Amino acid sequence: MNKKQQFLNVTYDILNTEGVLGVSIRRLAKEVGCTSTVIYRYFDNVEHLITMASVRYLEGYIADFKRYTKEIRDPLELNLMLWERFVFYALENVDVFEMLFFGKYKESLVDIIYEYYELFSEKFENMDGLLVSVVFNGNLRERDYIMYRRAASMGYIALDTAEKLSYMDVYMFHGLLMEYKFQKLGKEEIETNAKKFTDIIRAVVEKFRVR
């Protein structure tokens, strides 16, 4: 394990126990046994460090993506179920997902994901083209549009509808994160809210379904 991998693993452990506010360059230096200067050789600042370490939180979603793409043929239903799982993981770690997709480094997230992939390539094995195009895209709206555009190409919705739905989904998702930003939900509450979120999207999507 190289130094950068070590920094990311320790940061992930801190995120798991204390959240975003528990991470600092000084804290990490103490945990690893080095100076802050060494850490700044690898990361611009603490936000950069947290964002890259947070990519690991997508592992559960990636596993679900692989499973659902094998089980669900309807592209609209597939996207709904993937949203449900994504919301579930996000509500487990609201501050992490907010920083990851809406924080300072959101515009360069794709580069950060690729860099993380190079460091931990074993975590991204057996990914097909659809999964790669979604996961290796740091923009949530564009990721969602990829799924809806696929549904449009298969005749399930009109192409212009795909763009509208992708905007709606992301606005709703960000609003949900803000609603629970300062709350710690139990697993049952998380599952309930993830399903409610998906049910609302489903009600809208069904109005535009043509197949």
Side-chain angles (χ1 to χ4, degrees), residues 12 15-16 19-20 54-62 64 81-102 140 143 169-187 189-195 197-198:
Y12 175 79
L15 288 171
N16 263 344
V20 168
S54 297
V55 174
R56 186 168 172 180
Y57 283 92
L58 299 178
E59 289 180 14
Y61 174 73
I62 290 172
D64 290 337
M81 295 310 299
L82 289 173
W83 261 117
E84 185 171 318
R85 297 310 300 158
F86 189 76
V87 171
F88 177 86
Y89 295 120
L91 290 180
E92 280 191 318
N93 299 280
V94 174
D95 54 350
V96 168
F97 273 72
E98 184 192 4
M99 180 171 285
L100 188 59
F101 290 100
F102 301 101
L140 278 183
R143 289 166 62 146
D169 292 351
V170 176
Y171 288 150
M172 283 181 55
F173 173 69
H174 198 191
L176 187 68
L177 286 188
M178 294 301 95
E179 182 177 353
Y180 293 105
K181 184 174 182 177
F182 301 106
Q183 299 183 45
K184 187 67 176 177
L185 301 177
K187 185 175 181 180
E189 292 176 296
I190 291 174
E191 290 176 343
T192 297
N193 279 284
K195 188 176 186 307
F197 178 89
T198 308

Side-chain angles (χ1 to χ4, degrees), residues 8 18 21 63 93 104 108 117 134 137 148 167 171 180 189 198:
L8 292 170
E18 301 178 38
L21 295 179
N93 299 280
K104 179 178 180 178
S108 55
Y117 164 78
V134 171
N137 188 323
Y148 281 127
Y167 274 106
Y171 288 150
Y180 293 105
E189 292 176 296
T198 308

Side-chain angles (χ1 to χ4, degrees), residues 16-182:
N16 263 344
T17 56
E18 301 178 38
V20 168
L21 295 179
V23 181
S24 69
I25 297 296
R26 181 179 296 179
R27 165 80 180 278
L28 181 59
K30 182 178 179 180
E31 294 274 350
V32 176
C34 68
T35 65
S36 298
T37 303
V38 174
I39 298 174
Y40 282 118
R41 293 176 188 168
Y42 298 92
F43 304 98
D44 298 338
N45 48 49
V46 70
E47 291 91 347
H48 184 209
L49 167 66
I50 292 172
T51 301
M52 189 171 295
S54 297
V55 174
R56 186 168 172 180
Y57 283 92
L58 299 178
E59 289 180 14
Y61 174 73
I62 290 172
D64 290 337
F65 200 116
K66 291 177 181 178
R67 178 163 60 90
Y68 283 143
T69 50
K70 292 178 181 178
E71 297 175 356
I72 304 173
R73 297 304 175 192
D74 184 319
L76 294 177
E77 185 63 24
L78 172 62
N79 195 37
L80 287 166
M81 295 310 299
L82 289 173
W83 261 117
E84 185 171 318
R85 297 310 300 158
F86 189 76
V87 171
F88 177 86
Y89 295 120
L91 290 180
E92 280 191 318
N93 299 280
V94 174
D95 54 350
V96 168
F97 273 72
E98 184 192 4
M99 180 171 285
L100 188 59
F101 290 100
F102 301 101
K104 179 178 180 178
Y105 285 90
K106 65 179 182 179
E107 299 300 330
S108 55
L109 183 55
V110 61
D111 296 324
I112 289 174
I113 293 174
Y114 270 108
E115 188 173 352
Y116 186 91
Y117 164 78
E118 291 177 347
L119 291 167
F120 301 98
S121 58
E122 72 280 359
K123 297 181 182 295
F124 294 89
E125 294 177 345
N126 303 316
M127 295 174 65
D128 63 18
L130 178 61
L131 180 51
V132 169
S133 67
V134 171
V135 172
F136 288 89
N137 188 323
N139 186 304
L140 278 183
R141 211 276 314 165
E142 290 178 3
R143 289 166 62 146
D144 200 33
Y145 181 61
I146 288 171
M147 300 300 294
Y148 281 127
R149 188 175 60 196
R150 179 171 176 266
S153 69
M154 297 168 68
Y156 284 83
I157 56 173
L159 184 58
D160 62 339
T161 299
E163 185 175 19
K164 294 183 178 70
L165 291 174
S166 66
Y167 274 106
M168 179 196 74
D169 292 351
V170 176
Y171 288 150
M172 283 181 55
F173 173 69
H174 198 191
L176 187 68
L177 286 188
M178 294 301 95
E179 182 177 353
Y180 293 105
K181 184 174 182 177
F182 301 106

